Amino acid sequence: MRFLVLGAGNIGSLYASKLAQSGQEVTVLARGARLEQIRRRGIELEDAFSGERARTPLRVENRLDPADEYDVVLVILPKQRIAEVLPVLAANDRTPSVMFFGNNAAGPAAMTDALGHNRVLFGFPGAAAVPHEGAIRYVITSAREQPTTVGELDGSQSGRIVAIASALEASGFPVSVSTNIDAWLKTHVAKILPSVCALFQAGGRPEQLAADDEALRLMVRAIREGFQVLRANGVPITPRNHRVLEWLPEPVLLFSMRRMVSAETAAVKFGHAEQGRAEWMLLADEFRQLIAQAGIPTPSIDAAYRHLTSP
């Protein structure tokens, strides 16, 4: 398949490199110093477990022209930058599939209004990546923890979504095709925002969070409130295994969360938190819209979200 990866940050670089290594035809869209860096050196990845490094040369462009043709554009940008690329994507109507690959609590309306319903796909990475000594250090999460998740807006197992999933799997990413990708993304925001807030509350480092019972407790309670908000809005908790967070006793959840943030790979998985403050604040605003629609009190979410604006 012919992929354009729009966004040459840490996750975009990881997916572009892995897709290219597996034999897909990949172009990266980048600008400024990053454009020149990829042209000169390609992209170098470092496996966070083994320390093994691999450098991949990639085709790189600085723009998407209306006449350019790709099978899929993977838009891997922070949520606050999506609006600026929609006109460019809309002008390029020769590419039939545009997958917005990241956080979203507001739903697909902005994307479908700009591009049309049939061109829009959603996805989310099953990986974490941070810069490290000139390379991108990465972790690919397991199918049990969080596979790369993709989906059609109507939940169908279309030919194109199956082909994209197959290409990603061949590149080394465990993949799940969601039958309700919008609910999946809203559930993820309901879970990840309190986690990031707790990290900030504890001082910004995973090991500090592991030792902070107050921050962990607020995180658990905010996640549960977020799930209540989703249910009040008719949004199913997706995937189903996340529903255990609604009924497991709080001490058990605190133990589980403490283990999660104490894991060897936690520094990579949480490494982008501070740099992502603008995105977290936008996502919090999106989730507040869901809270307003639900009309239920959310004292733990309110307390947690205050840490987004308190460096």
Side-chain angles (χ1 to χ4, degrees):
M1 298 182 74
R2 293 170 297 170
F3 284 90
L4 174 68
V5 176
L6 199 166
N10 299 324
I11 292 294
S13 295
L14 170 61
Y15 275 81
S17 296
K18 289 292 187 181
L19 283 165
Q21 289 170 13
S22 71
Q24 304 298 325
E25 185 179 328
V26 179
T27 301
V28 177
L29 195 151
R31 293 177 180 172
R34 186 62 174 150
L35 171 70
E36 295 305 318
Q37 184 181 51
I38 296 173
R39 279 179 174 165
R40 289 197 318 269
R41 303 181 62 248
I43 293 174
E44 186 168 9
L45 300 179
E46 179 186 298
D47 188 310
F49 289 109
S50 68
E52 182 180 352
R53 289 195 172 202
R55 183 176 296 174
T56 305
L58 286 162
R59 178 181 175 184
V60 61
E61 300 288 348
N62 65 357
R63 59 183 293 168
L64 173 63
D65 289 326
D68 291 341
E69 295 186 37
Y70 299 95
D71 296 311
V72 185
V73 177
L74 288 182
V75 182
I76 309 181
L77 293 171
K79 183 66 189 295
Q80 70 274 14
R81 291 193 54 203
I82 296 298
E84 71 186 62
V85 302
L86 289 178
V88 176
L89 292 164
N92 176 257
D93 59 4
R94 297 193 179 191
T95 298
S97 303
V98 180
M99 178 172 284
F100 294 90
F101 206 66
N103 285 302
N104 185 354
M111 293 80 161
T112 57
D113 287 350
L115 308 183
H117 193 277
N118 290 337
R119 295 183 65 200
V120 174
L121 304 166
F122 277 161
F124 198 87
V130 295
H132 180 70
E133 297 179 353
I136 303 294
R137 175 178 280 179
Y138 71 92
V139 173
I140 295 175
T141 48
S142 68
R144 180 179 179 182
E145 180 180 358
Q146 181 182 297
T148 294
T149 304
V150 298
E152 291 275 5
L153 297 184
D154 65 3
S156 65
Q157 297 274 333
S158 66
R160 66 176 176 176
I161 207 69
V162 170
I164 293 168
S166 296
L168 290 167
E169 285 183 332
S171 304
F173 299 98
V175 179
S176 173
V177 178
S178 176
T179 57
N180 193 338
I181 189 66
D182 181 56
W184 193 102
L185 290 168
K186 287 182 169 73
T187 302
H188 185 263
V189 171
K191 183 180 175 185
I192 193 63
L193 266 180
S195 304
V196 170
C197 292
L199 184 71
F200 291 157
Q201 179 181 352
R205 297 175 65 86
E207 61 269 26
Q208 292 172 306
L209 177 54
D212 192 327
D213 285 348
E214 181 182 349
L216 287 170
R217 188 172 294 109
L218 182 60
M219 177 178 76
V220 166
R221 293 176 180 177
I223 290 171
R224 284 178 155 169
E225 285 181 359
F227 284 10
Q228 291 172 5
V229 167
L230 294 182
R231 289 196 179 279
N233 280 285
V235 178
I237 306 307
T238 309
R240 293 173 61 91
N241 61 5
H242 281 42
R243 297 174 191 177
V244 301
L245 299 176
E246 297 180 287
W247 55 263
L248 275 177
E250 188 173 279
V252 176
L253 284 178
L254 289 174
F255 176 77
S256 176
M257 296 299 183
R258 188 175 293 109
R259 286 189 62 188
M260 177 188 74
V261 299
S262 301
E264 181 183 355
T265 57
V268 177
K269 293 178 180 178
F270 284 96
H272 68 299
E274 181 61 44
Q275 292 71 32
R277 266 188 199 268
E279 181 175 22
W280 305 132
M281 293 173 68
L282 174 59
L283 291 168
D285 287 342
E286 292 180 356
F287 205 82
R288 286 188 183 103
Q289 292 295 315
L290 295 172
I291 293 171
Q293 293 167 23
I296 61 177
T298 55
S300 296
I301 288 178
D302 297 342
Y305 282 11
R306 283 196 285 272
H307 294 285
L308 293 175
T309 55
S310 303

